[in-house]
């Protein structure tokens, strides 16, 4: 069993790499994003993708679907209430989404992208206009479903897929970090 | 800075504050500062007031294309590009605003988290479970390369086989066959596992399979539901049956199983399985002996009545009929006489009864009974089985020419399946046909060339075909198995490439029924999710890649849009039959074909032009000119096993959806209390059901809905369960089917098993 060192990369970079992992369209993109998250973990491109698909993509029943609605509304269906709520949020945040009605807005990769961009505004551009919305998105949405997603994924990955455990652990620390250090109310 | 849930929610939910927030957003420089990812800055800020409960839906016309009598006309409600709910369209008096439990779950089916989303390849070998995402281009190029390589090596494309059946009966889906037509002469798994014995029987008797409009049943005075369970499997037909009953008609269900329809009937007659033909012959004899037959109609419209009557006189002994069918003679007499006295009277024959080694002969015997009673060619009468009389489309997607110089099969020709038979001149070559009901064996045995590539569409081979172990062997020896589907199932498990297919809500199409007379447009109501494509789009993409690699190697159009493809299926004949001027009228709701009573003019499409009790063709093909009594298959094990459809699924479709899993989560074996007691099995026990074919472990339900000596297990696939009743079914053929559909049917209900408590 490999052990993982806590990452020292920046908050923004971590989110971006995780986002890229969940948005990867092929093994190459997946591996590049994965390596960026942890260059020292050795796994072949193909093995990584095969495991990733088994957990999050299919075609077989996945271990943990990366869609919020599956955890918040109905375990079998997406494009439901939570998806449309997130759609509304993105519109208010000023985002347009070219994959609207193609890939549900509550897909983890899309949500991480939204979160990344909002944080980028605050951290890199020092614009706080959307900060309320980011906090809302984090506390009232991401923090409600991602822990359940992590629980489902980790329960299995700790048995058979260290690379997936690594990804999920990174996501977990990110969520803990964001929810415990950035809330100011 | 503080974060307030209430504040944010008020921005989100209140049009005015949202608008002012967005105005501020535009002014704050946010949009130009976003780094950009999947989500882009929305320069054209959407200040629409969010949804607050108004019913501002867009509606679309759809149809249920699954293999179901009802072929419902559907109205789909969409908001902001998302399907919200569906309802049965009210314009169709048949659907009349309702769908069944399966149809009502369509939104959940379309947005099921289990949908196949991307084209994928199994990289660790078939069954390994190691899947890699590939682009459509990569998938299609791989397939195209393989096809061209096979053609070069074998000199033909007969090594490429297609198996497609009833997962989607939309007309443009014959584009899958079109795709195979367009690459050359290929191998087809032909025939039908469903209804061929009855198709042959009706064609022998009447020259066609053609039934009266089911809506007329409301005016029938006597209805026999013979081996059919519409209360589960054609729910919309029940309203006509109820209406007839409320007006005083008698409704009798004859079935070995006490079905849902039986529970709604005036009378239920439990018949010994496989003896229905004898009952029909006995009833006809009683009617004729009582001189209540319609001699005038018979004289004018039938051939061979004399020989038929002589057969009944000589061979049919009523005491025997009673003994063999298990029905008291008085009850048979009462049934026969009350049936013939009621006018009009009708018999609906289901697809269960003909799934026996004597299935075709039983349908012929029932046709003859209806003829004798004078109910053929009459309003609200008829020997009902099914029809294809509204299926006269262009089959434009199907009709593709072969590439120049294509080389094909020169052996004996077979017929091509029951739907969409398109005539044509006799060519030097044909496609090669293998029996779909013996898929495993035929794939393994095909030689010169052997089958190397199999394309599966609209079909779940491992759920519907037989002999799972041989199927695995057959799949494993193939170089490339491509499965186009909407969900992961056991067939996908054994594929090399899986292609995600659109639902009917994501494409255009047109649908008609093999039972009622309505025509429905299927409009694209939503964008295709993820990377799914329709069957014809897949065909076009294959064509593009084949032509890129070798110009002229595929004649299918290289780009299609499903709407244009659908429009091409219409013709003046269809417009005339349905009384419309353009397909666009269907946007207002489905339309019904002009009423015709089959055979009312006394014209039959048989060689004699009459109803044929005596059929030379039947003599030539099946050794008996008359509808005679043929004994059912001899038992080879202790209990007979029947495997009907349940109301929760259509073959393997729908069963994996949450609602169905809630109601019907796992398979059972239904056992008569006497048999259960003898085997010391109690309700809920796990039992092994086994025979020479295989073994299944299932929980027992003890019920006298099934008769002693018979066990029942529903035909289907259950999610996350290796159960498949077909593992116990050998592929023994029914007596008929090869005449019209290319291969005999399967005698599914002539399966014998034993069981014991585990
Ligand atoms: S399965 Fe049959 S009854 Fe149900 S919606 Fe489809 S066509 Fe209608």
């Amino acid at each position: 069993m490999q052990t993982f060192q806590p990452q020292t990369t920046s908050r923004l970079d971590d989110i971006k790499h995780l986002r890229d992992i969940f948005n990867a369209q092929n093994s190459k993109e997946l591996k590049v994003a994965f390596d960026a998250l942890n260059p020292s973990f050795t796994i072949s491109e193909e093995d990584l993708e095969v495991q990733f698909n088994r957990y999050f993509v299919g075609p077989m029943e996945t271990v943990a679907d990366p869609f919020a609605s599956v955890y918040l509304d109905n375990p079998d269906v997406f494009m439901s209430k939570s998806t449309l709520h997130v759609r509304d949020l993105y519109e208010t945040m000023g985002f347009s989404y070219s994959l609207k009605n193609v890939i549900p807005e509550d897909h983890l990769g899309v949500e991480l992208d939204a979160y990344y961009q909002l944080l980028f505004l605050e951290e890199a551009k020092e614009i706080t206009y959307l900060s309320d919305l980011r906090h809302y998105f984090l506390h009232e949405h991401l923090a409600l479903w991602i822990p359940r997603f992590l629980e489902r994924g980790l329960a299995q990955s700790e048995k058979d897929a260290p690379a997936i455990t690594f990804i999920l652990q990174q996501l977990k620390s990110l969520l803990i970090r964001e929810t415990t250090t950035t809330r100011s109310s | 800075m503080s974060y307030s849930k209430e504040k944010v929610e008020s921005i989100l939910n209140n049009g005015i504050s949202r608008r002012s927030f967005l105005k501020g957003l535009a002014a704050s420089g946010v949009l130009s500062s976003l780094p950009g990812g999947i989500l882009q800055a929305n320069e054209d800020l959407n200040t629409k007031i969010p949804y607050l409960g108004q019913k501002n839906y867009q509606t679309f016309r759809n149809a249920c294309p699954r293999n179901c009598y009802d072929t419902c006309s559907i109205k789909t409600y969409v908001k902001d590009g998302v399907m919200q709910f569906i309802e049965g369209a009210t314009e169709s008096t048949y659907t009349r605003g309702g769908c069944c439990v399966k149809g009502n779950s369509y939104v959940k089916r379309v947005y099921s988290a289990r949908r196949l989303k991307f084209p994928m390849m199994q990289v660790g070998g078939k069954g390994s479970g190691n899947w890699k995402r590939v682009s459509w281009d990569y998938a299609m190029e791989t397939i195209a390369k393989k096809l061209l390589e096979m053609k070069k090596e074998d000199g033909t494309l007969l090594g490429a086989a297609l198996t497609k059946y009833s997962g989607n009966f939309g007309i443009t889906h014959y584009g899958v066959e079109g795709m195979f037509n367009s690459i050359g002469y290929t191998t087809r798994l032909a025939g039908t596992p469903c209804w061929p014995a009855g198709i042959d029987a009706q064609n022998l008797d009447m020259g066609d399979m053609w039934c009266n409009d089911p809506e007329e049943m409301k005016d029938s005075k006597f209805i026999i539901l013979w081996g059919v369970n519409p209360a589960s499997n054609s729910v919309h037909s029940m309203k006509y049956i109820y209406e007839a009953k409320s007006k005083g008609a008698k409704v009798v269900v004859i079935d070995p199983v006490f079905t849902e329809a039986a529970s709604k009937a005036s009378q239920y007659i439990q018949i010994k399985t496989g003896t229905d033909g004898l009952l029909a012959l006995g009833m006809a004899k009683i009617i004729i002996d009582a001189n209540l037959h319609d001699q005038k109609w018979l004289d004018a419209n039938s051939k061979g009545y004399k020989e038929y009557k002589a057969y009944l006189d000589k061979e049919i002994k009523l005491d025997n009929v009673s003994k063999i069918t298990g029905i008291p003679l008085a009850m048979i007499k009462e049934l026969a006489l009350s049936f013939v006295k009621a006018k009009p009277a009708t018999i609906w024959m289901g697809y269960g009864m003909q799934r026996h080694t004597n299935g075709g002969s039983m349908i012929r015997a029932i046709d003859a009974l209806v003829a004798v009673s004078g109910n053929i060619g009459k309003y609200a009468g008829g020997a009902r089985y099914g029809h294809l009389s509204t299926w006269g489309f262009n089959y434009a997607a199907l009709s593709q020419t072969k590439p120049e110089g294509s080389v094909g099969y020169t052996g004996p020709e077979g017929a091509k399946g029951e739907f969409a038979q398109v005539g044509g001149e006799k060519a030097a070559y044909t496609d090669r046909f293998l029996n779909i009901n013996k898929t495993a064996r035929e794939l393994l045995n095909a030689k010169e060339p052997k089958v190397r590539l199999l394309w599966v569409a609209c079909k779940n081979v491992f759920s519907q075909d037989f002999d799972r172990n041989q199927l695995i062997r057959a799949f494993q020896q193939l170089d490339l198995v491509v499965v186009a589907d909407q969900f992961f199932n056991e067939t996908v498990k054994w594929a090399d490439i899986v292609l995600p297919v659109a639902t009917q809500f994501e494409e255009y199409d047109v649908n008609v029924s093999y039972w009622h007379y309505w025509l429905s447009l299927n409009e694209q109501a939503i964008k295709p999710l993820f990377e799914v494509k329709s069957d014809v789009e897949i065909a076009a993409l294959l064509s593009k890649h084949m032509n890129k690699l070798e110009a002229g190697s595929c004649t299918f159009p290289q780009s299609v849009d499903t709407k244009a493809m659908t429009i091409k299926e219409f013709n003046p004949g269809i417009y005339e039959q349905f009384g419309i001027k353009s397909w666009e009228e269907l946007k207002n709701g489905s339309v019904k074909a002009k009423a015709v009573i089959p055979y009312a003019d006394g014209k039959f499409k048989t060689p004699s032009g009459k109803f044929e009790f005596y059929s030379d063709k039947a003599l030539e093909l099946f050794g008996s000119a008359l509808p005679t009594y043929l004994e059912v298959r001899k038992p080879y094990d202790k209990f007979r096993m029947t495997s009907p459809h349940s109301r929760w699924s259509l073959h393997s479709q729908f069963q994996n959806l949450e609602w169905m899993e809630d109601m019907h989560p796992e398979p059972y074996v239904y056992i008569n209390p006497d048999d259960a007691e003898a085997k010391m099995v109690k309700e809920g026990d796990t039992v092994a059901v086994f025979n020479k074919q295989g073994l299944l472990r299932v929980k027992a339900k003890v019920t006298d809905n099934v008769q002693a000596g018979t066990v029942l297990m529903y035909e289907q696939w259950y999610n996350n369960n290796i159960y498949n009743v077909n593992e116990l079914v050998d592929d023994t053929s029914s007596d008929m089917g090869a005449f019209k559909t290319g291969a005999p049917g399967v005698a599914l209900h002539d399966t014998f098993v034993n069981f014991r408590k585990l």
Side-chain angles (χ1 to χ4, degrees):
Chain A
M1 181 82 191
Q2 280 176 268
T3 51
F4 309 112
Q5 298 304 316
Q7 293 303 293
T8 47
T9 47
S10 83
R11 205 174 150 197
L12 270 174
D13 281 348
D14 277 0
I15 303 173
K16 189 162 175 261
H17 300 324
L18 281 164
R19 169 196 82 173
D20 293 345
I21 285 175
F22 283 95
N23 286 337
Q25 306 220 11
N26 52 49
S27 46
K28 206 178 178 131
E29 286 178 19
L30 179 64
K31 186 71 164 61
V32 169
F34 181 78
D35 287 347
L37 197 62
N38 182 354
S40 61
F41 195 112
T42 45
I43 182 166
S44 78
E45 201 173 286
E46 183 164 302
D47 285 351
L48 177 65
E49 198 206 341
V50 160
Q51 286 180 19
F52 187 84
N53 290 343
R54 186 156 58 85
Y55 273 77
F56 310 121
V57 180
M60 297 183 296
E61 191 159 328
T62 54
V63 175
D65 288 306
F67 298 96
S69 55
V70 162
Y71 303 86
L72 298 177
D73 303 337
N74 178 329
D76 292 307
V77 188
F78 45 64
M79 215 57 120
S80 52
K81 210 172 107 225
S82 311
T83 319
L84 301 181
H85 179 58
V86 175
R87 171 178 294 186
D88 243 15
L89 262 173
Y90 292 167
E91 283 177 1
T92 314
M93 290 166 181
F95 289 121
S96 80
Y97 181 44
S98 63
L99 294 173
K100 184 173 174 180
N101 292 321
V102 173
I103 294 182
E105 284 86 343
D106 62 343
H107 180 267
L108 182 56
V110 188
E111 294 201 347
L112 288 174
D113 186 41
Y115 193 76
Y116 166 74
Q117 297 206 45
L118 296 177
L119 194 63
F120 180 89
L121 280 184
E122 290 171 44
E123 299 268 300
K125 298 282 173 181
E126 295 176 8
I127 300 174
T128 56
Y129 187 77
L130 292 175
S131 147
D132 263 4
L133 281 178
R134 177 175 68 81
H135 285 274
Y136 177 85
F137 184 46
L138 174 66
H139 294 285
E140 306 299 334
H141 181 75
L142 297 174
L144 300 187
W145 77 273
I146 293 182
R148 296 193 226 170
F149 163 79
L150 290 169
E151 194 185 341
R152 209 181 284 178
L154 285 167
Q156 178 64 31
S157 71
E158 279 166 0
K159 290 184 220 140
D160 66 8
I164 304 297
T165 300
F166 173 71
I167 295 171
L168 295 175
Q169 290 290 8
Q170 291 302 304
L171 183 61
K172 187 173 180 176
S173 7
L174 181 120
L175 191 70
I176 293 171
R177 209 160 53 191
E178 291 304 307
T179 47
T180 50
T181 61
T182 63
R183 181 166 185 170
S184 49
S185 52
Chain B
M1 195 218 57
S2 71
Y3 143 69
S4 149
K5 185 180 169 192
E6 292 69 34
K7 192 171 136 202
V8 176
E9 285 180 348
S10 104
I11 296 172
L12 288 172
N13 297 326
N14 175 316
I16 312 280
S17 67
R18 188 165 174 187
R19 216 172 262 142
S20 62
F21 181 82
L22 288 168
K23 264 194 213 143
L25 178 61
S28 62
V30 164
L31 297 175
S32 56
S33 306
L34 282 167
I38 279 202
L39 296 160
Q40 296 291 325
N42 184 6
E43 304 294 348
D44 174 27
L45 274 177
N46 180 355
T47 55
K48 75 168 194 225
I49 296 174
Y51 171 61
L52 293 171
Q54 303 95 324
K55 294 194 169 167
N56 50 342
Y57 303 106
Q58 258 183 298
T59 57
F60 295 88
R61 295 293 172 176
N62 291 99
C64 181
R66 320 249 91 88
N67 182 350
C68 170
Y69 282 102
D70 293 13
T71 313
C72 286
S73 176
I74 291 173
K75 199 165 174 187
T76 305
Y77 292 78
V78 173
K79 190 180 290 165
D80 200 15
V82 179
M83 268 173 79
Q84 303 291 335
F85 61 95
I86 63 138
E87 60 183 21
T90 45
E91 292 77 10
S92 159
T93 51
Y94 183 80
T95 304
R96 210 198 272 165
C99 280
C100 72
V101 58
K102 297 167 291 241
N104 284 326
S105 69
Y106 261 130
V107 175
K108 287 182 186 279
R109 186 182 157 99
V110 170
Y111 296 125
S112 166
R114 307 279 92 82
R115 283 277 306 269
L116 295 177
K117 303 173 183 76
F118 308 104
M120 297 187 94
M121 274 180 96
Q122 193 158 211
V123 286
K126 297 181 185 80
S128 68
N130 292 341
W131 292 90
K132 212 167 124 64
R133 233 178 106 176
V134 291
S135 67
W136 272 102
D137 281 338
Y138 183 85
M140 300 320 274
E141 192 181 307
T142 307
I143 301 164
K145 269 191 189 148
K146 181 77 208 169
L147 287 167
L148 293 171
E149 172 195 307
M150 282 162 51
K151 184 155 91 170
K152 203 158 153 213
E153 287 169 12
D154 297 340
T156 84
L157 265 175
L158 292 171
L162 169 66
T163 185
K164 174 194 173 244
Y165 198 57
S166 67
N168 191 325
F169 273 158
I171 302 300
T172 65
H173 285 261
Y174 291 98
V176 180
E177 285 92 334
M179 171 177 73
F180 262 60
N181 286 338
S182 71
I183 58 175
Y185 294 98
T186 55
T187 293
R188 310 294 176 87
L189 278 304
T192 144
C194 183
W195 57 351
I199 295 181
D200 273 16
Q202 291 225 309
N203 271 281
L204 293 170
D205 295 336
M206 294 177 271
D208 200 355
M209 172 190 66
W210 187 17
C211 62
N212 293 52
D213 179 356
E215 298 180 38
E216 290 169 8
M217 279 193 292
K218 69 182 192 320
D219 293 321
S220 303
K221 295 283 182 324
F222 202 112
I223 300 170
I224 299 182
L225 302 175
W226 205 320
V228 66
N229 179 14
S232 275
N233 301 323
S234 178
V235 288
H236 296 85
S237 294
M238 285 307 285
K239 60 180 169 285
Y240 307 109
I241 294 165
Y242 289 137
E243 193 178 335
K245 204 173 154 207
S246 72
K247 290 195 288 188
K250 188 159 182 189
V251 177
V252 178
V253 168
I254 303 175
D255 204 303
V257 179
F258 182 74
T259 61
E260 290 86 342
S263 73
K264 311 286 178 202
S266 327
Q267 186 184 8
Y268 166 56
I269 297 178
Q270 190 164 49
I271 187 168
K272 290 219 176 101
T273 313
T275 66
D276 310 73
L278 185 61
L279 175 63
L281 294 167
M283 286 169 69
K285 183 181 165 81
I286 292 164
I287 290 169
I288 295 166
D289 288 350
N291 206 21
L292 290 170
H293 57 292
D294 190 341
Q295 189 69 52
K296 209 168 128 212
W297 187 88
L298 293 166
D299 288 345
N301 299 297
S302 72
K303 177 193 161 193
Y305 172 69
K306 235 172 67 197
E307 289 87 338
Y308 168 68
K309 181 177 182 308
Y311 169 78
L312 295 180
D313 288 343
K314 187 156 171 267
E315 303 291 341
I316 302 300
K317 308 278 175 273
L318 293 179
D319 285 341
N320 262 348
V321 173
S322 169
K323 210 166 86 206
I324 294 170
T325 59
I327 307 166
L329 187 53
M331 195 187 273
I332 300 176
K333 282 189 173 155
E334 145 69 17
L335 174 68
L337 297 176
S338 53
F339 174 73
V340 76
K341 284 177 195 158
K343 295 258 158 36
T346 188
I347 299 180
W348 177 358
M349 293 164 272
Y351 305 136
M353 188 199 333
Q354 46 90 48
R355 290 176 183 153
H356 288 285
T357 52
N358 59 349
S361 76
M362 298 204 282
I363 299 288
R364 287 203 70 202
I366 297 174
D367 284 349
L369 167 65
V370 182
V372 163
S373 74
N375 280 300
I376 290 195
K378 304 281 159 59
Y379 173 82
R384 297 159 191 268
Y385 186 72
H387 79 92
L388 296 174
S389 64
T390 51
W391 290 69
F393 295 91
N394 290 337
Y395 296 93
L398 171 103
S399 313
Q400 308 295 333
T401 53
K402 310 278 179 200
E404 224 163 279
S406 292
V407 175
Y409 184 63
T410 51
E413 203 180 344
K416 304 172 184 65
E418 80 276 51
F419 288 100
Q421 299 200 32
V422 177
E425 286 148 40
K426 187 139 178 57
Y429 298 112
T430 65
D431 291 320
R432 173 173 65 176
F433 295 99
L434 306 178
N435 182 348
I436 201 169
N437 293 324
K438 299 185 194 292
T439 295
R441 198 181 310 191
E442 296 266 89
L443 285 176
L444 284 165
N445 294 344
K447 302 255 151 41
E448 293 171 25
K450 61 183 191 136
V451 176
R452 294 160 71 182
L453 178 147
L454 178 69
W455 188 294
V456 183
C458 305
K459 181 169 164 69
N460 179 356
V461 177
F462 274 79
S463 164
Q464 289 171 273
D465 294 326
F466 310 95
D467 206 340
R468 180 169 173 272
N469 293 330
Q470 275 220 75
L471 269 178
I472 294 175
R473 270 202 299 285
F475 271 51
Q476 269 169 340
Q477 59 132 37
L478 294 162
D479 297 353
L480 191 64
V481 174
V482 182
V483 178
D485 210 317
Q486 292 170 354
F487 290 92
F488 188 84
N489 56 38
E490 227 210 325
T491 308
V492 179
K493 179 175 163 187
W494 298 104
D496 295 292
I497 295 182
V498 59
L499 305 174
V501 171
T503 63
Q504 79 264 31
F505 302 99
E506 295 158 310
E507 64 175 357
Y508 263 87
D509 204 354
V510 56
N511 293 78
V512 283
S513 161
Y514 49 75
W515 180 239
H516 62 65
Y517 279 77
W518 289 87
L519 164 68
S520 301
L521 182 66
N522 182 72
E523 291 182 286
Q524 184 182 342
I526 55 168
K527 273 192 202 167
L529 282 163
F530 299 94
E531 293 185 4
V532 306
K533 284 187 190 298
S534 75
D535 278 321
V536 287
E537 287 167 335
I538 295 172
L541 203 56
L542 180 69
S543 184
K544 189 175 128 199
H545 282 278
M546 286 191 70
N547 281 297
K548 201 159 90 190
L549 293 166
E550 188 186 308
S553 60
C554 179
T555 62
F556 204 90
Q558 293 180 40
S559 77
V560 295
D561 112 38
T562 59
K563 184 173 177 184
M565 210 71 174
T566 302
I567 296 169
K568 279 195 193 155
E569 298 296 357
F570 289 90
N571 57 44
I574 288 280
Y575 291 149
E576 159 72 24
Q577 186 178 23
F578 288 92
I580 51 174
K581 291 207 171 58
S582 153
W583 66 273
E584 300 214 38
E585 288 180 40
L586 296 169
K587 289 181 176 177
N588 303 324
S590 50
V591 294
K592 189 177 176 180
K594 288 175 190 154
V596 181
I597 312 290
Y599 316 115
D601 57 1
K603 290 197 182 104
F604 293 85
K605 288 190 206 141
T606 51
S608 65
K610 296 183 178 236
F611 181 95
E612 295 198 352
F613 289 98
Y614 190 100
S615 159
D616 295 302
K617 192 79 195 170
L619 183 64
E620 174 199 325
L621 294 174
F622 306 114
S624 170
L626 294 168
T628 50
Y629 172 53
L630 195 66
E631 260 183 59
V632 71
R633 187 183 191 185
K634 290 261 177 303
Y636 57 82
D637 216 322
K638 279 220 90 107
F639 298 88
R640 177 183 292 280
M641 185 195 79
T642 55
S643 51
H645 295 218
S646 92
R647 83 182 89 158
W648 312 108
S649 67
L650 267 159
H651 304 295
S652 63
Q653 304 189 101
F654 292 102
Q655 178 55 44
N656 59 330
L657 300 184
E658 179 206 3
W659 286 1
M660 311 307 161
E661 289 186 334
D662 272 0
M663 302 300 291
H664 188 52
E666 57 177 328
Y668 292 98
V669 55
Y670 297 80
I671 306 171
N672 182 277
D674 292 346
D675 295 335
E677 197 187 325
K679 293 265 185 183
M680 293 191 296
V681 169
K682 286 199 210 55
E683 175 94 7
D685 284 349
T686 302
V687 296
V689 184
F690 52 90
N691 64 8
K692 60 183 172 125
Q693 290 300 118
L695 180 146
L696 289 174
R697 289 178 188 82
V698 266
K699 277 198 203 144
K701 279 219 190 268
V702 179
T703 167
D704 56 10
N705 287 357
V706 293
Q707 53 192 318
T710 298
V711 298
L712 181 152
M713 296 203 270
Y714 284 117
E715 62 102 54
Q716 62 201 11
W717 162 79
Y718 292 77
N719 205 15
N720 299 323
N721 191 320
I722 61 158
Y723 169 90
N724 180 353
V725 73
N726 284 357
E727 286 191 33
L728 297 173
V729 178
D730 62 6
D731 53 9
T732 292
S733 298
S734 49
D735 50 348
M736 295 180 192
F739 171 37
K740 283 288 163 184
T741 68
V746 181
L748 280 152
H749 300 323
D750 285 335
T751 296
F752 295 88
V753 297
N754 204 340
F755 65 90
R756 69 182 149 76
K757 187 178 163 182
L758 282 176

